[in-house]
């Protein structure tokens, strides 16, 4: 997730008069821009086939282009505070597999476009955004790519000196060329190819295990099968380096 505020000198331009105040125009327009461009920005925020397995109802990962005050079921969460410096919004769409530079560029460009046009956001969502009948955000990498191709404003904002933007994700074209990712083992091989590692499957017996974080917390026995899955674990090896258990 990405938190963003806008500053003018030493002052937060998103700050309101008090904690219950409505959003000031710049803040409101920034939210509008992010919500509007979120379908296209999903290509940079969720850049792999595996990204979309997280984006399901009820997992605090947004599935529709919505915003609300302190609402974690929405894609954009507006955060107000009694302290002016803490006013900001949180975009909850990015995953841990996103390139942070490209993710921040997409969100900042979307917010800037909203501010530039003085855009007005839709009404804030109260309650569970998953339960509402609203147009959904892209649910696959292929759908995100089509949304990105259809959003000329965001593509133009991400261009530099008229040149094409950098690749949005490693091996993404290779992933799309090989289908929608129905085969988990094939997905693992493609990710390994993109990262330059060899992935091999190992079957493991169910044995107790634990983690000792430098003696700072008690070691609790865990079931390896529950942690790693019934199908086993994976070992990765880079050229010239020993194997590492994942």
């Amino acid at each position: 997730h990405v938190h963003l505020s806008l500053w003018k000198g030493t002052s937060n331009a998103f700050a309101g008069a008090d904690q219950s105040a409505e959003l000031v125009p710049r803040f409101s327009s920034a939210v509008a821009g992010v919500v509007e461009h979120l379908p296209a920005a999903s290509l940079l925020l969720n850049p792999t086939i595996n990204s979309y397995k997280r984006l399901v109802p009820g997992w605090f990962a947004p599935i529709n282009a919505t915003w609300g005050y302190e609402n974690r079921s929405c894609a954009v969460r507006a955060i107000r505070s009694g302290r002016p410096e803490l006013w900001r919004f949180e975009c909850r769409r990015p995953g841990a597999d996103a390139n942070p530079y490209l993710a921040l560029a997409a969100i900042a460009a979307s917010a800037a476009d909203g501010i530039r046009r003085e855009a007005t956001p839709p009404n804030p969502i109260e309650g569970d955004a998953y339960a509402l009948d609203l147009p959904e955000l892209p649910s696959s990498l292929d759908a995100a790519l089509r949304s990105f191709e259809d959003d000329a404003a965001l593509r133009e904002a991400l261009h530099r000196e008229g040149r094409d933007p950098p690749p949005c994700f490693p091996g993404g074209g290779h992933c799309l060329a090989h289908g929608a990712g129905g085969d988990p083992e094939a997905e693992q091989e493609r990710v390994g190819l993109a990262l330059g590692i060899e992935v091999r499957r190992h079957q493991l017996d169910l044995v107790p295990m634990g983690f000792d974080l430098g003696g700072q917390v008690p070691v609790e026995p865990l079931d390896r099968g529950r942690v790693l899955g019934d199908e086993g674990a994976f070992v990765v090896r880079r050229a010239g380096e020993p194997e590492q258990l994942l």
Side-chain angles (χ1 to χ4, degrees), residues 1-241:
H1 304 170
V2 174
H3 291 247
L4 190 145
S5 57
L6 176 66
W7 289 70
K8 184 176 181 179
T10 59
S11 300
N12 185 355
F14 282 174
D18 57 64
Q19 192 167 355
S20 60
E22 294 186 358
L23 304 188
V24 297
R26 281 196 185 94
F27 195 171
S28 178
S29 293
V31 168
V34 174
V35 170
E36 179 179 336
H37 292 294
L38 204 49
S42 293
L43 183 64
L44 285 78
L45 308 182
N46 312 111
T48 70
I49 287 174
N50 210 43
S51 302
Y52 296 86
K53 295 179 180 178
R54 158 183 166 266
L55 301 171
V56 295
W59 284 79
F60 292 102
I63 61 171
N64 43 39
T66 54
W67 77 279
Y69 294 106
E70 293 292 353
N71 191 337
R72 286 179 168 83
S73 68
C74 294
V76 178
R77 178 171 70 109
I79 302 171
R80 300 174 290 186
S81 173
R83 296 167 55 185
E85 69 273 17
L86 297 183
W87 282 64
R88 65 196 187 278
F89 70 78
E90 175 194 24
C91 182
R92 299 180 56 79
R93 183 72 174 180
D97 50 357
N99 180 314
Y101 302 102
L102 297 178
L104 184 58
I107 295 170
S110 299
D113 180 62
I115 294 172
R116 186 180 304 112
R117 295 185 291 108
E118 298 182 349
T120 301
N123 293 329
I125 299 298
E126 296 182 4
D128 186 2
Y130 300 114
L132 300 178
D133 184 16
L134 296 170
E136 293 189 356
L137 291 168
S139 59
S140 69
L141 186 58
D142 188 45
L145 180 58
R146 291 195 301 268
S147 294
F148 186 78
E149 291 173 343
D150 291 340
D151 193 329
L154 183 60
R155 285 191 290 106
E156 182 178 354
L158 295 173
H159 281 209
R160 182 176 55 144
E161 298 176 357
R163 297 163 55 188
D164 288 337
C168 294
F169 46 88
H174 181 75
C175 288
L176 287 175
H178 287 75
D183 182 352
E185 290 192 31
E187 290 181 37
Q188 292 145 16
E189 291 175 2
R190 286 196 292 270
V191 171
L193 177 65
L195 299 178
I197 60 178
E198 174 188 341
V199 180
R200 294 191 290 111
R201 180 178 293 272
H202 285 245
Q203 294 294 335
L204 297 179
D205 295 329
L206 301 184
V207 296
M209 66 180 295
F211 299 95
D212 183 358
L213 303 179
Q216 300 300 311
V217 297
V219 178
E220 296 291 343
L222 297 173
D223 185 84
R224 177 169 288 189
R226 180 170 60 81
V227 174
L228 298 177
D230 294 336
E231 295 183 353
F234 299 100
V235 170
V236 299
R237 179 177 63 82
R238 293 183 184 274
E241 296 182 3

